Amino acid sequence: MQRNKSTILYFLLGSVLLISMSRCQADKTEELPIFGERTLNENGDTIYHEIPQFSFVDQDSQRITNESMNGKMYIADFFFTSCPTICPKVKAQMLRIYNDFQADTNVILLSHTIDVRHDTIPKLKKYAAKLGVSGPKWHFVTGEEAEIYGIADDYWSIALKNPDSPGGFDHSGRLLLVDDKRHMRAFCDGTDPESVDKFMERIKDLQEEYKGRASK
Amino acid sequence: MKYLIFGLSLLALFSYFGCKESQPYKQGERLYAIHCAGCHGDQGEGLQSLYPPLSNSAILRDKLLEVPCIVHVGLNVSLTIDGKVFDQPMPAIPSLNSVEITNIVNFLQGSWGNSGKTLKVEEVDAALKYCQ
């Protein structure tokens, strides 16, 4: 009898513990991680990886720099307009993000061409129009080839010329979410709609983080 | 009686899954996924005014014999479909042989509202002789 009582007691205690743990988990707002290499400065503070200074030109001949993203968040990818492989799939997913976050002017899309020779500003303009994109939300940018290829590394993306690849370039279809402090906060495989579904949840998390920050 | 019901249920199950596996152009389906779906979409839906859809396709309906050459040497002319102008060049896929092209075309013809009219390898071979 005594043994039965102890079993019931343990069971009740365990249940209470489990319920309180799960409640704590639900109440806690998960902050998105900051991706990339970390270093320590001389004071021992952690320095997070930052997207370096950039300066590109978009399909409307507007200069786009890090400062254009002040107070905003952006989704970056790399592509070229004549890409016969993964770009159309990635663009279809970027278009989903563009449509779903149309109302929030703080969510920006930034697509870098890796074929700067052929993807001129008029060509990027036409590509954007054919995709049904207008207005300042989605920037299709070009610039110095070395600067674009160099910054791709910072975005954990591959962008390089390869005559043996279809279309003449190798590149990854990764999408990156960058916050207004130049930190990468989420990424996904832009060719996989399910991966993009989860990524869109991360965009919403960052929207919440911005709202929380604004209300403080 | 029990055995009869069990047997009939098994038969029904086999026929159902048998029907599900009835896609006769498996190679065409696989090659479509590798070479075509990137632009034309997993369900032939295309993408906006950049890449034309291959569902309910007028080209597959009216100009079927031109399709083998479009696959083989690409396409660099403007197409208007449902009021949308498509002028993004389609790259050639010279690595595909006539059997593979036949299977892709026949897979398309049996999918997404297309007519179902198929091509024979001999017809594709003949068409490929006159590609421009």
Side-chain angles (χ1 to χ4, degrees), chain B residues 36-104:
Chain B
C36 322
C39 294
H40 295 290
D42 291 337
Q43 300 299 317
E45 70 274 21
L47 180 62
Q48 302 289 86
S49 298
L50 276 173
Y51 309 108
L54 293 176
S55 52
N56 300 301
S57 165
I59 291 181
L60 285 167
R61 188 186 62 227
D62 303 331
K63 296 180 177 176
L64 185 57
L65 284 172
E66 292 178 26
V67 175
C69 282
I70 295 176
V71 176
H72 188 63
V73 298
L75 191 67
N76 206 354
V77 297
S78 168
L79 300 172
T80 303
I81 300 169
D82 292 333
K84 287 181 181 171
V85 179
F86 296 90
D87 52 10
Q88 185 88 348
M90 172 171 152
I93 316 174
S95 59
L96 293 173
N97 63 37
S98 57
V99 174
E100 292 168 327
I101 292 175
T102 307
N103 280 332
I104 291 176

Side-chain angles (χ1 to χ4, degrees), chain A residues 59 124-134 140, chain B residues 48-50:
Chain A
Q59 74 272 22
L124 292 171
K125 176 84 177 165
K126 186 177 171 189
Y127 186 87
K130 289 267 179 191
L131 204 50
V133 170
S134 59
F140 295 82
Chain B
Q48 302 289 86
S49 298
L50 276 173

Side-chain angles (χ1 to χ4, degrees), chain A residues 10 19 22 27 52 63 70-72 106 118 123 138 148 164 181 185 187 210:
Chain A
Y10 281 132
I19 291 167
S22 63
D27 291 345
R63 190 150 291 277
N70 279 350
K72 301 176 191 296
N106 281 339
H118 294 105
K123 208 159 182 184
W138 192 345
I148 291 179
D164 296 330
K181 295 189 177 72
R185 305 298 298 276
F187 62 92
Y210 278 31

Side-chain angles (χ1 to χ4, degrees), chain A residues 34-94:
Chain A
I34 296 173
F35 290 105
E37 207 174 308
R38 293 164 191 197
T39 49
L40 290 178
N41 68 8
E42 61 274 17
N43 300 325
D45 299 326
T46 306
I47 307 295
Y48 292 98
H49 172 258
E50 283 182 5
I51 299 301
Q53 189 66 37
F54 62 79
S55 177
F56 299 124
V57 179
D58 76 0
Q59 74 272 22
D60 293 318
S61 301
Q62 300 295 309
R63 190 150 291 277
I64 303 299
T65 65
N66 313 67
E67 285 69 36
S68 316
M69 306 300 173
N70 279 350
K72 301 176 191 296
M73 64 186 83
Y74 68 96
I75 296 104
D77 77 327
F78 293 82
F79 82 113
F80 58 109
T81 62
S82 58
C83 167
T85 54
I86 58 170
C87 309
K89 283 197 166 188
V90 176
K91 283 291 159 286
Q93 296 305 314
M94 285 285 271

